[in-house]
């Protein structure tokens, strides 16, 4: 019997992009997760294979984001198709690169294709958010939206959900360093203040508005000046070894701006062009190498396509 399989690749993403806490995100081209769906042996979603997670993720369907996402799609459709799921993790866990979002989104796209496309791409977002809720305790969309749709996405409202794809300069690149330490999003959210002084709110709103304007007008200098995080970075940088040194190294090497990717520990820098990003990322990685902390470095253009069937 011929087994029909559908597979999807969902890329890493950078939540917050420093300036838009929980409401701005961008997609990288790589790394990413792959989810495949095939006919299962029993009604409902079943996770049958899990690779690349170094044994750290639960294999139980109801405890893994891919199982939760696919089952919630079946429930919404009132269907009981037997869907067997395979997950290949390409993203490091607890990295701040949208690892759980990547799995959730790849699962939603692969399952949607398998089921005959009952949902549009955007209609898949609430299902992927259920994965984020399970993994991080908060159904934030700033990784899910860019991982699914690609580009740089602004989420002006969570309820009702509204997503705006922003323009950006074609030559905008990211230099990314992931140090070999884990920071759980739950823990990184716990250190954040419950409320903000008015002066901080006013400044942060102005930075976000200026950043969005800079993307619309290809204003590199304004991108550089406005990508400032007054909310999360002051609290979270202490969770990330050598954050200040990495940021200084990135800026000295020519980065436009540098900050924490999502909830960290990954650090990213925005750069004008690939050559600049390649130079910047080497200097960022060197800080960890000098301190004998293992790390991976990535250079990536903004991923304009988002999740793709493969
Ligand atoms: N916006 C989320 C946070 C992203 O900063 O907690 C998590 O990657």
């Amino acid at each position: 019997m011929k087994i029909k399989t559908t597979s999807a690749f969902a890329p890493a993403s950078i939540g917050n992009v420093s300036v838009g806490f929980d409401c701005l995100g961008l997609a990288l081209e790589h790394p990413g997760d792959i989810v495949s769906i095939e006919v299962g042996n029993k009604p409902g979603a079943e996770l049958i294979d899990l690779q690349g997670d170094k044994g750290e993720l639960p294999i139980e369907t109801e405890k893994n984001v891919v199982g939760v996402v696919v089952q919630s799609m079946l429930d919404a459709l009132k269907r009981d198709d037997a869907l067997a799921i395979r997950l290949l993790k390409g993203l490091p866990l607890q990295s701040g690169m949208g690892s759980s979002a990547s799995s959730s989104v790849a699962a939603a796209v692969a399952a949607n294709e398998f089921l005959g496309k009952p949902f549009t791409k955007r209609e898949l977002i609430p299902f992927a958010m259920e994965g984020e809720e399970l993994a991080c305790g908060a159904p934030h969309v700033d990784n899910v939206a860019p991982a699914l749709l690609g580009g740089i996405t602004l989420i002006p409202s969570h309820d009702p959900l509204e997503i705006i794809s922003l323009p950006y300069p074609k030559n905008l690149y990211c230099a990314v360093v992931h140090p070999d330490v884990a920071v759980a999003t739950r823990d990184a959210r716990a250190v954040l203040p419950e409320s903000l002084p008015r002066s901080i709110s006013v400044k942060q709103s102005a930075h976000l508005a200026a950043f969005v304007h800079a993307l619309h007008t290809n204003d590199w200098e304004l991108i550089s000046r406005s990508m400032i995080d007054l909310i999360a970075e002051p609290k979270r940088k202490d969770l990330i070894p050598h954050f200040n040194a990495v940021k200084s190294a990135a800026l000295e090497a020519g980065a436009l701006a540098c900050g924490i990717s999502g909830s960290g520990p990954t650090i990213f820098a925005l750069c004008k062009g690939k050559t600049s990003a390649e130079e910047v990322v080497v200097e960022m990685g060197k800080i960890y190498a000098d301190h004998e902390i293992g790390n991976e470095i990535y250079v990536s253009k903004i991923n304009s396509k988002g999740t793709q069937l493969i």
Side-chain angles (χ1 to χ4, degrees):
M1 190 180 78
K2 193 167 171 238
I3 297 176
K4 182 187 157 205
T5 304
T6 55
S7 302
F9 169 86
S13 52
I14 293 177
N16 306 331
V17 196
S18 289
V19 68
F21 181 73
D22 271 1
C23 66
L24 191 67
L26 65 78
L28 298 175
E29 295 199 306
H30 57 89
D33 291 355
I34 295 174
V35 172
S36 301
I37 306 284
E38 61 195 48
V39 178
N41 292 321
K42 57 178 193 183
E46 186 185 13
L47 178 57
I48 59 164
D49 187 38
L50 175 54
Q51 306 282 337
D53 68 323
K54 300 183 184 148
E56 288 174 28
L57 286 176
I59 183 75
E60 294 92 339
T61 303
E62 64 287 356
K63 291 187 185 161
N64 192 298
V65 297
V66 295
V68 168
V69 169
V70 175
Q71 187 58 53
S72 70
M73 291 169 68
L74 288 172
D75 292 345
L77 292 165
K78 299 189 174 29
R79 286 173 61 164
D80 63 356
D81 305 52
L83 300 187
I85 309 165
R86 296 180 191 274
L87 168 59
L88 175 59
K89 289 294 304 175
L91 271 173
L93 308 181
Q94 301 191 333
S95 60
M97 296 170 77
S99 180
S100 53
S102 175
S103 297
S104 298
V105 165
V109 171
N112 195 43
E113 184 71 15
F114 192 91
L115 293 167
K117 283 211 181 130
F119 300 107
T120 64
K121 238 182 170 187
R122 282 187 182 233
E123 284 170 349
L124 295 176
I125 288 180
F127 300 112
M129 283 166 74
E130 293 197 29
E132 288 295 73
E133 172 89 65
L134 176 74
C136 321
H140 55 88
V141 195
D142 51 328
N143 291 111
V144 162
L148 179 67
L149 304 172
I152 304 183
T153 52
L154 178 70
I155 303 108
S157 166
H158 278 69
D159 187 18
L161 184 61
E162 192 182 350
I163 294 165
I164 297 172
S165 291
L166 297 173
Y168 51 87
K170 290 286 158 285
N171 212 17
L172 187 60
Y173 273 76
C174 298
V176 178
V177 61
H178 167 238
D180 197 6
V181 290
V183 173
T185 296
R186 267 174 211 274
D187 301 340
R189 290 182 84 84
V191 301
L192 298 177
E194 278 299 324
S195 58
L196 292 171
R198 183 168 61 191
S199 60
I200 300 284
S201 300
V202 169
K203 282 183 196 158
Q204 193 65 53
S205 311
H207 291 318
L208 179 56
F211 186 79
V212 170
H213 179 72
L215 293 178
H216 275 271
T217 53
N218 288 343
D219 186 336
W220 295 101
E221 199 266 331
L222 188 57
I223 288 176
S224 173
R225 272 193 295 122
S226 58
M227 203 192 87
I228 294 171
D229 175 4
L230 300 172
I231 299 176
E233 187 177 300
K235 300 288 176 195
R236 287 178 168 173
K237 64 181 183 177
D238 295 338
L239 304 175
I240 304 172
H242 310 293
F243 174 80
N244 288 335
V246 173
K247 182 166 176 169
S248 299
L251 296 174
E252 272 164 36
L256 298 165
C258 178
I260 301 171
S261 175
S263 52
T266 295
I267 303 172
F268 78 103
L270 292 185
C271 299
K272 185 177 182 181
K274 190 175 181 192
T275 307
S276 170
E278 284 169 348
E279 287 165 9
V280 165
V281 86
V282 167
E283 298 306 317
M284 294 167 83
K286 252 189 213 163
I287 302 291
Y288 286 118
D290 288 349
H291 289 88
E292 297 182 357
I293 296 176
N295 65 90
E296 289 112 37
I297 53 174
Y298 308 93
V299 165
S300 172
K301 216 175 166 172
I302 310 292
N303 176 342
S304 62
K305 296 200 175 88
T307 299
Q308 298 283 296
L309 291 166
I310 52 174

